Structures are given as structure tokens and as C-alpha cells.
Amino acid sequence: MTKKLVIIDTDCGIDDAQAILMALAAPDLEILAVTCVFGNTGVENVCQNVFRVLSVCERRGIPVFRGSSGPLVGISSLVSDHFGKDGLGDVLEDKDLLWEEKIQQEHAVNAMIRLVSEKQKQVSLVALGPLTNLALAVKLDPSFPEKLKDLYIMGGNMEGKGNLTLCAEFNFAMDPESAHIVLEEFLCPTYIASWEYSCRNALTWEFFEELINQDTPAARFMKKITSKCWAYSKEAMRTKRDVYFRPGFVSYDAYAMAACIDSSVVTESIECPVHVEMQGSIARGMMVLNRTNKLQKSHVVSVLAKCDTVKFGQLLMESLRQPCSK
């Protein structure tokens, strides 16, 4: 069977690492490239983190490209310490001092355009961080989106409840202009795993303990990088989300990756145009669902709403159960 071709655009924090491991374990996926963008940490750390993840599964042959180090407009508020200053929990001592020798010299945006142009209508793009690289790609090549097979985004919110600002989700809040450009100009089939979708389909902490205590290199890696990170503290996450969501284990970026790997994981979605607000001090970066289409937009996206958590859990388990090489 022909494998699904994928480019992963990431700001590699702990949940990105889990999503990448999920993609590496999927037998029907071929990862053409990993492109890096600022977000959870600086882009240099992101590049190093991607190499760390690929090394765990002995998949060092996948090309990695360095991309945008800040947002399209203005200065980055760089960055969140949600997953530690290095993005992987600040527990790894194996600093790869040679990662700059391993990184591809081509810029991530140019690589995206080239790879998609070589395999038009065959490549799925999975965007796990701020959308800066994607916005630059469409500005350099306006035909880029129509050459994609489809686009999966982890980001945005459905109800104006933010996790970085009052009204905006982290990835969109880090670069609202890029989020706006992508959701206005990418007319390919688009699937959005929002913050609420991830939180409302949380898994149990008992599942998390079973997940990371498997006796494999990937599980030991995930156990280590989550060991001192407050975002993987049962008590901290209960306190943070009780207002809107039931507490539980949430690996945000893995929800978008799971939808790309197996569409049946998504059991319900909202089909409508969306808009990213760029003005104001409160709502900037918020994603608005244009359900009545008062904005008269023709492009409709799929905003994911419900998840088959059993299938999702199985994908997570397999991602850490995989052999070291493939």
C-alpha cells in the first residue's frame, strides 16, 4: 500500500515529541521532512530537540530544516516555559553540540515549497507550532496551498477561552498574523485540533502512567522528559483546567497527528469557515468559528470536536512501543 507522505512543522516541546514519535511508529506514514519553528522554545533548541527525538528511534536519516525564529510581525514574546526552557523538561544532559552540522542548509520554508512542488497533491502538512513557516511559504509561492493534499493544525480555540492570553490559544497567540494568513489563504482541506478539542478528549492519569512505564527506549525517553515538567503534574493540571475541562492527561499535538494518521479517530467535527482576530488587546489571536457565515467566506474547514479516545490511546501506546529502527 502507498504510504501517506507527511511534512511535520514543529516547535518541538514535549507534546510535539510525542506527536513525532506517533508519526514514526505509524506504518502507513512516510515522513519527508521535519521543519522547525520557534514557539515552545527558541528555534535552535527546537532543532536540537527534533534530532533528540529522531535519535531515540534511530531515524536520523529524516532531513531536518531550520525555519523561522520569530513571528511575522513584531518581536516574539519568546517563549513559554510550559515544557521547560529547552522545551523538553530541562532534564536532558545529552546536548548535541553537532546538531548544526546535521541540519539541512536549505531554509525550512524553501524546503516545504520544494518538497510539496515535487509531489503535488500527495503531501499532508502537520503543523504543531506557530504557523510562521506556513505563512511565509504562501507568500513566497501563492500556489503552495493548492499543491498540498491536506493540512492538519494543532492550534486555535473555539470558545474564546485562551491558554496563553485571555482569549487566544498559544500557537495562534504567538503569531496571530501568520495564523490569519494560513486560515485565509490555505484553501486545501484543513483540519484543526483546537485547544478545547484536546482538553475535552483528555485521557486518564492511569493511562499516562501505563504509557510511560513501557520497557522501550521511546517510553523511557518520554518518562524522563515529563518527570519534572509541571505540565505533566496531575495536581497542577487539575488546578489549571477545572474551570472549563475535566482533568486528565493531554498531549496536545498528538491529537492533530492522530487525525492525520487515522481519520476515524475523529468522530465529530464542525464544518464552517473560521477567522483569526488580529486586533485589540484582549481577543488578538482568537479563532472565531463563523457558523452563520456572516463574513461570507467560501472556504470551510473541519474543526475537530469529538475523538475516539480508545483509538487515540492505542496510537499513543504504539508510539512508545515501537522498535528502535524501522
Side-chain angles (χ1 to χ4, degrees), residues 48-270:
Q48 179 166 255
N49 290 348
V50 169
F51 282 116
R52 284 167 158 170
V53 175
L54 296 179
S55 294
V56 169
C57 294
E58 299 182 9
R59 300 289 296 279
R60 300 174 183 87
I62 295 172
V64 180
F65 300 86
R66 176 166 34 190
S68 304
S69 59
L72 209 59
V73 177
I75 300 172
S76 171
S77 57
L78 200 83
V79 272
S80 169
D81 64 353
H82 189 72
F83 297 128
K85 289 182 172 55
D86 72 351
L88 290 184
D90 297 325
V91 296
L92 298 177
E93 298 176 0
D94 57 332
K95 299 287 185 182
D96 188 348
L97 301 178
L98 300 177
W99 71 265
E100 289 197 74
E101 297 178 11
K102 301 174 183 176
I103 200 85
Q104 299 292 314
Q105 294 305 302
E106 187 179 18
H107 192 278
V109 176
N110 293 330
M112 270 186 190
I113 293 170
R114 174 178 56 80
L115 290 167
V116 170
S117 295
E118 290 171 355
K119 299 181 183 294
Q120 294 188 31
K121 300 292 187 181
Q122 299 177 60
V123 179
S124 297
L125 178 53
V126 183
L128 306 177
L131 298 177
T132 316
N133 286 340
L134 281 68
L136 287 171
V138 72
K139 291 306 176 186
L140 287 173
D141 179 5
S143 67
F144 176 72
E146 67 188 50
K147 297 174 186 175
L148 283 171
K149 179 181 179 182
D150 46 29
L151 170 63
Y152 295 83
I153 296 171
M154 190 284 129
N157 53 344
M158 296 186 284
E159 299 165 4
K161 302 165 186 172
N163 66 344
L164 181 65
T165 65
L166 180 63
C167 294
E169 177 276 333
F170 176 84
N171 284 340
F172 282 24
M174 291 297 281
D175 191 348
E177 279 74 20
S178 287
H180 176 82
I181 287 168
V182 169
L183 292 180
E184 293 293 324
E185 300 186 30
F186 278 62
L187 303 184
C188 57
T190 300
Y191 305 88
I192 301 175
S194 70
W195 183 56
E196 292 97 334
Y197 172 71
S198 303
C199 292
R200 289 208 172 101
N201 290 284
L203 301 176
T204 65
W205 287 109
E206 290 75 18
F207 172 87
F208 173 69
E209 291 298 325
E210 182 183 355
L211 177 70
I212 63 172
N213 282 301
Q214 298 178 91
D215 187 20
T216 65
R220 289 191 289 272
F221 174 75
M222 287 302 299
K223 185 173 184 177
K224 184 171 186 177
I225 64 177
T226 58
S227 62
K228 295 182 180 179
C229 180
W230 74 269
Y232 289 86
S233 159
K234 187 186 302 186
E235 190 58 38
M237 297 312 283
R238 180 186 293 117
T239 301
K240 184 175 179 62
R241 281 206 301 273
D242 262 354
V243 178
Y244 302 125
F245 310 111
R246 68 180 179 86
F249 161 59
V250 180
S251 185
Y252 301 97
D253 291 325
Y255 290 87
M257 186 62 72
C260 178
I261 292 169
D262 180 0
S263 61
S264 71
V265 168
V266 181
T267 59
E268 186 178 314
S269 59
I270 301 164

Side-chain angles (χ1 to χ4, degrees), residues 18-46:
Q18 179 67 78
I20 294 169
L21 288 169
M22 185 183 281
L24 292 171
D28 299 331
L29 250 62
E30 179 181 345
I31 303 173
L32 295 179
V34 180
T35 55
C36 301
V37 66
F38 82 103
N40 283 313
T41 184
V43 71
E44 291 80 12
N45 282 340
V46 171

Side-chain angles (χ1 to χ4, degrees), residues 176-181 275-280 283-286:
E177 279 74 20
S178 287
H180 176 82
I181 287 168
H275 174 80
V276 177
E277 176 60 39
M278 293 190 295
Q279 306 301 321
R284 178 170 157 78
M286 181 177 75

